[in-house]
Amino acid sequence: MQSWRRDGLDARRVDLDDPDARTALRHALTGVDTLLLIVAASPRQAAQGRLAVEAAVEAGVRRVVHLSSADGRVGSPVPWADACARTDALIRASGLTWTILLPTAFDVDLLELATPVGLGWLPQVAGDGAVGWVDVGDIARVATEVITASMPPGGAYDGRTLTLTGPELLGFGEVAQIMSSVLDRPVRHVDLPVPVFRTLLRLAGQDRWTTEAVIAQFADVVRHGKDGADVLTDTVREVTGRDPVPLAAFVDAHRDRFGRPSPAKSLVSGAARALRGVVSKTRAS
């Protein structure tokens, strides 16, 4: 926070799991006009969202901009989609002026699969399900425009729900084709059985909660086009005046991350090779 203050930013840190978090957050928000609310995905996401909304009301915050989720739905099998929808409902009922941003799948999340991509394959459990991969830079630009355009006496985006996507709907087969073209080497999409994909995620270091949530998102929601997972909009261009970043540009900007894995990653690389064999045997049986 000291570095932020040196840059002229007034920063305050609040631990949302602290027993006194409500008081601390209310104090931190006193005098704040607009709150950009981004609650990290976790088992406590819904509770933390509620805490933030209630503290904002008590502190006299005028307006909240919430980074939610395009597939948000109360009761969704995807825990962060359920949590986002619950927070959205609280915001709409809070009396605060609000704007809700609904991004689809983040292109940056593909970096979690960088190691197998380096080995030439893109594993998933989404079948032919497609999403409008959105760049996190585009999300930030939309949020900035929404906040600045709605300063008093503005209000251009007050009471609006904005769904944010990239320029095209892409399934993982198409993502693999884009990667192959940009990286100039073959990358093949492999639609894995769920138990194999679960093992891959766990070997890559994902905790059990995140692993099951990712599987629910892609094996259920994306695979079957549920909850608006396959929506496509022109909102990024309409709000920012700039075309959204295409996936090919994202892959090109991160080509070093999608490179072939170093020997230091031999454990995951070896596991990936072994899993390919498991997949082949599974499909042959």
Side-chain angles (χ1 to χ4, degrees):
M1 293 192 298
Q2 291 298 328
S3 63
W4 286 14
R5 291 194 176 98
R6 285 194 294 270
D7 291 335
L9 300 175
D10 182 11
R12 303 173 191 178
R13 176 176 294 169
V14 176
D15 182 353
L16 294 180
D17 289 325
D18 190 283
D20 295 324
R22 188 187 186 107
T23 300
L25 190 57
R26 186 171 61 244
H27 174 71
L29 291 174
T30 299
V32 170
D33 177 82
T34 300
L35 168 64
L36 174 61
L37 179 59
I38 305 173
V39 186
S42 78
R44 285 187 42 76
Q45 183 178 355
Q48 291 175 345
R50 174 180 288 276
L51 176 66
V53 173
E54 292 176 348
V57 171
E58 293 168 2
V61 172
R62 179 184 70 89
R63 184 168 184 273
V64 60
V65 177
H66 180 218
L67 185 65
S68 185
S69 177
D71 60 356
R73 175 176 63 83
V74 174
S76 169
V78 184
W80 46 76
D82 172 79
C84 282
R86 293 179 186 278
T87 302
D88 289 343
L90 288 172
I91 289 171
R92 291 189 175 100
S94 67
L96 295 167
T97 299
W98 54 265
T99 304
I100 294 174
L101 307 181
L102 304 178
T104 51
F106 298 173
D107 55 10
V108 71
D109 286 345
L110 290 169
L111 293 175
E112 297 293 333
L113 300 172
T115 295
V117 168
L119 293 167
W121 61 302
L122 179 64
Q124 251 299 337
V125 288
D128 296 326
V131 294
W133 298 95
V134 65
D135 189 78
V136 292
D138 283 334
I139 297 172
R141 281 184 282 273
V142 169
T144 300
E145 179 63 26
V146 165
I147 291 170
T148 56
S150 295
M151 293 297 187
Y157 297 99
D158 290 353
R160 293 185 60 183
T161 299
L162 304 176
T163 301
L164 313 180
T165 77
E168 52 191 338
L169 286 173
L170 298 169
F172 279 91
E174 294 162 308
V175 172
Q177 291 174 7
I178 290 171
M179 288 179 167
S180 297
S181 176
V182 173
L183 301 175
D184 196 28
R185 55 181 174 78
V187 176
R188 184 170 66 92
H189 169 228
V190 181
D191 192 39
L192 294 174
V194 167
V196 178
F197 189 62
R198 178 181 289 113
T199 301
L200 177 63
L201 292 178
R202 296 289 282 152
L203 285 172
Q206 290 286 12
D207 61 83
R208 189 177 302 279
W209 182 86
T210 302
T211 294
E212 296 307 318
V214 168
I215 288 172
Q217 183 169 46
F218 288 99
D220 185 4
V221 174
V222 172
R223 188 180 190 98
H224 301 291
K226 296 179 179 179
D227 299 335
D230 55 356
V231 68
L232 192 66
T233 74
D234 201 28
T235 305
V236 170
R237 186 182 61 79
E238 291 172 353
V239 173
T240 68
R242 296 172 50 175
D243 290 334
V245 174
L247 187 63
F250 168 80
V251 174
D252 186 51
H254 296 84
R255 59 170 58 245
D256 57 325
R257 296 283 299 277
F258 289 114
R260 298 189 182 279
S262 66
K265 295 183 178 179
S266 58
L267 175 60
V268 175
S269 299
R273 294 190 188 96
L275 284 171
R276 270 192 286 189
V278 171
V279 172
S280 297
K281 291 177 182 178
T282 300
R283 298 197 167 184
S285 61

